[in-house]
Amino acid sequence: MLLLLCVSATGFNPALLTDPATLASLAGFTAQFWPPALGSTLLAEVAAATVTTLACATLGLALAMLVGAPAAYFGCRTLGEAALSHTRAQPLAAAAGALLRGVLVAMRAVPEVVWALLFVRAIGLGTLPAVLALGVAYGGMLGKVYAEILESQPPENARALGAAGAGRLARLAYGVLPGALPELVSYTVYRFECAVRASALMGLVGAGGLGLLLDNSLKMMNGAETATLLIAFLLLVGAADATSRLARQALATPRGTTALALAFASAVLASLWQLDTLWQGGVANADALARFAAEFWPPDLSASLWATLAEALWQTLAMSVLGTLLAVLVAVALALPAAGELGVLLQLAARALLALLRGIPDLVWAMLAVLALGLGPAAGVLALALHTSGVLGRLFAETLQNTPAECRQALAVAGAGRATAFAYGVLPQVLPQWLAYTLYRWENNIRSASVLGIVGAGGVGGALFFALSLFQMPTAATLIVAMVMLSWLAETASARLRAQLG
């Protein structure tokens, strides 16, 4: 019943994927991407946009650290006086802590692409909105995770320093930070990897970089240029992954950690130099940002909006459910060969396909799906299914490879066939982990589905883009709050279901 309701809400007909006319249309659409454009002018533009994307990611992360580190310092409960004396915090201190945590939740709950769209509307096109968006969204994430890492450290050292009269900063520097520093740096490195991906997408809403070139190529229906930009995007993401791995290896030694810090500081300075000319005359005005923010208050609570809001939220939920279910089917089919169940050649082919599917973000898949299927939530379903197939397929394959082979071997010795040995010797062991991965990805797909409408794939993101385009800020405020609440409810439901599975 739920599946039928989701199909009805999104207009996605799975039978279309096997219809000869649809397959012929998709084949013709795909053929436009070959061969990729390799003209010197385009390659120069791609190289410049790649450098700009990396500069935005670097400065965005630096800004996020400037926001997240003080937030973690003041929000860390184990550094408070109440934790040292084993007493309840004073009402004013408790209220301030709750307010700080609430602000961090709001900052990270709104997707970074939505923040970029808001800043573009506030201060205009360019790379500055991308940096600010990353600073706000990732600042909320870093503030939360930094505080959790600090709070996870043994409190004895901080308490001993506090008993000796040391202040809060001294307790942090000498009692907590030495043990927490490797994990703090490791998470920051991971966030840089994420920032590169996000920065490459923000051009889709006018925030510069590779995404802006990709958006222009897609709007011009230039398949050859689009193919070149997608290849550049995949290479950039691969380079970010490799850099992240090398950085984590450098953390193993003090010299490597120092070199990493110096490299990041140099990258920040180089990024400032790179983007400085782009920001001449376009630096954000605090008064303009304040006036723009004031336009969102009070939110639109009119009865006429509720029907639109309910439909948009239901479309978003239906997209996430249907896209995740389709992805599970594809992921299972690809996980078997990717795990080496069907030979080496099929293993290599399956892994390459999974890397392609997950390497292209769902927002880019959504733009391609809109061109192939037309505007609406059906394109969002296909985009989520394609990207999530790559993610789940890799996770499912790794689970299969890590599963002990004793049960399967025992069944094979007893005369069971290959399929029977897999069904009774392997599947029961991996199924709980597969279900947990599926729930986690569905939770992420809720967030993704809420922004796919920005590129025409329906849902609450489409309603938000429409409201912002018409400068209906009170309506946009209501939609953003609804987007945040939907993500929070999905996260809560997913966490409870995973806990029951565990």
Side-chain angles (χ1 to χ4, degrees):
M1 178 61 72
L2 177 62
L3 185 61
L4 293 177
L5 291 174
C6 291
V7 169
S8 174
T10 60
F12 183 81
N13 184 2
L16 288 176
L17 298 179
T18 59
D19 181 70
T22 302
L23 292 175
S25 176
L26 289 176
F29 174 74
T30 305
Q32 300 175 21
F33 290 79
W34 188 263
L38 298 176
S40 58
T41 302
L42 175 63
L43 292 180
E45 291 179 352
V46 171
T50 301
V51 172
T52 300
T53 297
L54 289 172
C56 289
T58 302
L59 289 184
L61 181 64
L63 179 58
M65 293 169 66
L66 292 176
V67 173
Y73 172 71
F74 290 108
C76 179
R77 295 182 180 92
T78 56
L79 293 175
E81 300 298 331
L84 298 178
S85 58
H86 300 283
T87 60
R88 295 183 62 181
Q90 295 295 323
L92 184 59
L99 177 61
L100 177 60
R101 289 188 290 274
V103 171
L104 293 177
V105 168
M107 291 168 61
R108 66 177 181 270
V110 178
E112 55 265 37
V113 174
V114 175
W115 278 119
L117 179 61
L118 293 174
F119 282 120
V120 165
R121 291 290 186 270
I123 60 179
L125 302 172
T127 56
L128 185 56
V131 173
L132 295 176
L134 287 172
V136 173
Y138 284 20
M141 296 177 189
L142 292 180
K144 174 181 180 290
V145 176
Y146 282 179
E148 291 177 347
I149 292 173
L150 294 177
E151 290 172 354
S152 67
Q153 301 303 306
E156 289 78 15
N157 291 340
R159 288 174 181 168
L161 290 168
R168 187 184 185 102
L169 185 58
R171 296 196 298 271
L172 170 69
Y174 300 103
V176 178
L177 196 57
L181 189 59
E183 193 172 354
L184 291 171
V185 176
S186 178
Y187 182 76
T188 305
V189 169
Y190 164 72
R191 270 297 142 200
F192 174 73
E193 178 185 332
C194 298
V196 171
R197 292 192 181 96
S199 178
L201 292 177
M202 288 183 182
L204 299 178
V205 295
L210 275 176
L212 184 60
L213 292 181
L214 180 61
D215 185 46
N216 292 335
S217 296
L218 286 171
K219 287 178 179 177
M220 297 295 293
M221 300 292 289
N222 192 326
E225 285 190 5
T226 300
T228 300
L229 290 165
L230 289 176
I231 293 171
F233 185 88
L234 291 172
L235 291 175
L236 178 61
V237 171
D241 292 343
T243 302
S244 178
R245 287 193 296 270
L246 291 174
R248 287 190 175 88
Q249 293 174 5
L251 294 175
T253 62
R255 179 177 296 181
T257 302
T258 302
L260 184 62
L262 291 175
F264 182 71
S266 301
V268 170
L269 293 176
S271 299
L272 283 171
W273 178 81
Q274 167 69 21
L275 297 181
D276 179 64
T277 55
L278 300 178
W279 291 352
Q280 294 296 327
V283 177
N285 183 286
D287 293 336
L289 287 174
R291 288 194 299 270
F292 179 75
E295 295 176 4
F296 287 82
W297 186 264
D300 184 3
L301 300 177
S302 61
S304 59
L305 180 61
W306 289 109
T308 301
L309 180 60
E311 181 182 4
L313 290 174
W314 170 234
Q315 278 188 354
T316 300
L317 183 63
M319 276 194 289
S320 69
V321 171
L322 194 55
T324 304
L325 290 177
L326 290 173
V328 169
L329 297 178
V330 177
V332 171
L334 292 177
L336 296 177
E341 296 286 337
L342 303 178
V344 176
L345 291 179
L346 286 178
Q347 182 181 25
L348 294 175
R351 286 184 175 181
L353 179 56
L354 290 174
L356 176 64
L357 291 173
R358 69 176 180 271
I360 298 177
D362 39 33
L363 197 61
V364 176
W365 278 124
M367 295 187 71
L368 298 174
V370 164
L371 293 176
L373 301 180
L375 297 171
V381 172
L382 182 59
L384 290 175
L386 290 171
H387 178 72
T388 308
S389 296
V391 177
L392 288 181
R394 176 188 177 185
L395 294 173
F396 287 1
E398 290 178 350
T399 305
L400 287 174
Q401 290 176 320
N402 295 331
T403 301
E406 287 80 2
C407 292
R408 176 191 292 192
Q409 292 172 351
L411 289 169
V413 170
R418 189 171 184 176
T420 302
F422 176 82
Y424 293 97
V426 177
L427 194 58
Q429 298 183 70
V430 301
L431 192 58
Q433 191 65 47
W434 283 9
L435 290 175
Y437 282 142
T438 300
L439 287 172
Y440 177 71
R441 287 309 308 178
W442 171 69
E443 174 189 330
N444 284 309
N445 282 346
I446 286 280
R447 297 188 183 93
S448 298
S450 66
V451 300
L452 294 184
I454 290 175
V455 295
V460 69
L464 175 62
F465 186 78
F466 182 75
L468 288 173
S469 299
L470 298 180
F471 298 97
Q472 298 173 346
M473 302 310 176
T475 300
T478 303
L479 292 167
I480 291 172
V481 171
M483 182 186 298
V484 172
M485 291 300 298
L486 181 63
S487 296
W488 178 78
L489 290 173
E491 181 179 344
T492 302
S494 177
R496 290 183 178 179
L497 288 172
R498 289 199 306 269
Q500 292 178 0
L501 289 174

